[in-house]
Amino acid sequence: MSPGKSHVIPLLLPKASAPTPKRTHGPAGSPSPRMTPQGPGSKKRSRRHQRFMERRALLEQRGLLRPRRRLGTQGPPGGLSSVTPRGWKAPKLGDGIAGRCSGTAAGNSITGVQPCLPRPNKYVAIDCEMVGTGPRGRQSELARCSVVSYDGDVIYDKYVLPLLPVVDFRTRWSGITRRHMESAIPFRTAQEEILKILKDKIVVGHAIHNDFQALKYFHPKERTRDTSRIPLLNQRAGLPAGANASLKSLARHLLQKKIQVGCKGHSSVEDARTAMELYRLVEVPWEEELARSQPPRPPSPTDPSSDSHQYMDDQYWPQDLMVGTL
């Protein structure tokens, strides 16, 4: 050891142990949130999931997505969604239908739940009045068309000018006179207006094939309800099941109302309303019978009751909705 220098003996200290994080109170065996490792992309994924859930909640409020059923919870009775689509009013008790869904034993044999009936705004009733054109007036052409809603409100009622000159106005049955043709609109214009109303609707009528023929139109069979071909109505009226009963006869027996009386002809508005009233008398059992006889159809992408997950994409979101969710 050289003079002037002191010998320093290093002290060996124990290594400091890392502080033990405090464990928050929680269920035994479950890791504390403070001890969960945070990866570099976990915050981004969390924000993305939160954004997704906010969008889903907004869509559920607007009736575009069906609310998810959590485990351990029981859904609403009858298979109804807890979110009611905007613009739909629940049917009143006593108006002929206790609800748009039926829980009878005639429903699905597997689930025991009867599918919901379409909303009332999906139904319309139609009736047309024809005049005679062509040789001796034997050809029938449209001269008036009326369309009413499920509740009987008039949606459309106009006089129509036939393509050919009128030979026989058939006023005794049609109620059409030469004076009505002065304010009539061209057939092509009326046809375009009427078909826009009938599109994607369930159309009710009596001997409705005659109305479609006058409109030069074919409506899908599964969306057509002809009250002249419902055995349930004949049975209620005490008529043979296969009888081709007239609208006037069914209205007298089942509705206790008189229609098509007098010599001034028929009223297409009155006939359309009567057909809708007759349909509503047997709506639930008839739709159940049709559901059993027809194969199930896939839900429409525009149907609010279906889970349309494509709406979660950014391209379907307007700017006014994006502001509140981002």
Side-chain angles (χ1 to χ4, degrees):
M1 177 181 298
S2 59
K5 293 184 178 180
S6 60
H7 180 70
V8 179
I9 300 175
L11 297 176
L12 298 178
L13 298 177
K15 293 184 179 180
S17 60
T20 304
K22 295 182 178 180
R23 182 180 183 89
T24 58
H25 295 285
S30 60
S32 171
R34 296 184 181 181
M35 299 180 62
T36 304
Q38 298 290 337
S42 60
K43 183 180 294 185
K44 182 177 180 180
R45 289 194 299 269
S46 177
R47 290 180 178 177
R48 183 176 179 183
H49 179 71
Q50 182 180 4
R51 177 184 176 191
F52 175 86
M53 296 304 296
E54 289 177 354
R55 287 188 179 184
R56 184 179 184 91
L58 184 58
L59 282 179
E60 291 177 355
Q61 294 176 1
R62 298 201 171 192
L64 295 176
L65 282 180
R66 181 184 302 166
R68 294 181 300 176
R69 183 181 300 178
R70 297 181 179 179
L71 295 177
T73 61
Q74 185 175 3
L80 286 174
S81 171
S82 60
V83 176
T84 303
R86 297 173 60 185
W88 185 84
K89 295 182 180 180
K92 298 179 181 179
L93 294 177
D95 69 346
I97 303 176
R100 304 303 302 166
C101 291
S102 172
T104 61
N108 192 309
S109 59
I110 299 177
T111 62
V113 177
Q114 180 68 22
C116 292
L117 299 176
R119 290 172 290 173
N121 59 4
K122 288 294 185 180
Y123 291 88
V124 294
I126 188 173
D127 187 78
C128 298
E129 301 296 343
M130 277 75 78
V131 294
T133 62
R136 300 183 181 181
R138 294 180 177 178
Q139 181 175 340
S140 296
E141 287 200 47
L142 180 66
R144 182 185 179 185
C145 181
S146 301
V147 182
V148 301
S149 67
Y150 184 84
D151 297 317
D153 300 324
V154 177
I155 300 175
Y156 188 92
D157 183 28
K158 291 184 180 181
Y159 292 97
V160 183
L161 188 65
L163 297 175
L164 298 176
V166 180
V167 177
D168 184 1
F169 284 96
R170 304 177 184 175
T171 306
R172 180 180 176 183
W173 298 278
S174 67
I176 306 295
T177 63
R178 190 179 302 273
R179 178 175 55 87
H180 294 135
M181 293 295 97
E182 296 175 358
S183 59
I185 62 175
F187 172 79
R188 297 301 180 188
T189 303
Q191 183 189 47
E192 182 178 356
E193 294 174 350
I194 297 168
L195 296 192
K196 285 182 179 180
I197 299 175
L198 302 186
K199 183 180 180 182
D200 298 330
K201 297 289 195 306
I202 295 178
V203 185
V204 181
H206 194 83
I208 199 171
H209 60 279
N210 294 324
D211 302 314
F212 291 153
Q213 185 176 359
L215 286 168
K216 303 184 186 301
Y217 169 69
F218 175 79
H219 198 68
K221 183 179 179 181
E222 64 272 12
R223 293 181 177 269
T224 302
R225 305 292 184 265
D226 192 343
T227 54
S228 68
R229 300 177 180 273
I230 311 180
L232 292 172
L233 288 176
N234 291 347
Q235 293 174 6
R236 289 198 176 191
L239 302 174
N244 189 10
S246 65
L247 184 66
K248 182 177 181 179
S249 176
L250 291 175
R252 183 176 70 255
H253 286 88
L254 299 178
L255 304 176
Q256 289 74 47
K257 61 185 294 187
K258 295 181 179 180
I259 62 172
Q260 302 175 358
V261 295
C263 57
K264 294 184 179 180
H266 303 174
S267 169
S268 53
V269 172
E270 183 181 49
D271 290 352
R273 284 173 173 167
T274 303
M276 181 62 79
E277 291 177 20
L278 290 172
Y279 167 76
R280 292 181 62 172
L281 284 178
V282 293
E283 177 182 3
V284 172
W286 192 18
E287 292 298 335
E288 289 177 354
E289 183 177 347
L290 291 176
R292 291 193 300 267
S293 61
Q294 296 178 357
R297 299 181 60 192
S300 172
T302 59
D303 188 357
S305 63
S306 61
D307 283 333
S308 303
H309 292 283
Q310 67 269 22
Y311 288 130
M312 302 306 297
D313 298 337
D314 290 342
Q315 58 179 325
Y316 294 101
W317 283 78
Q319 292 297 326
D320 59 338
L321 297 181
M322 294 287 288
V323 172
T325 57
L326 295 179

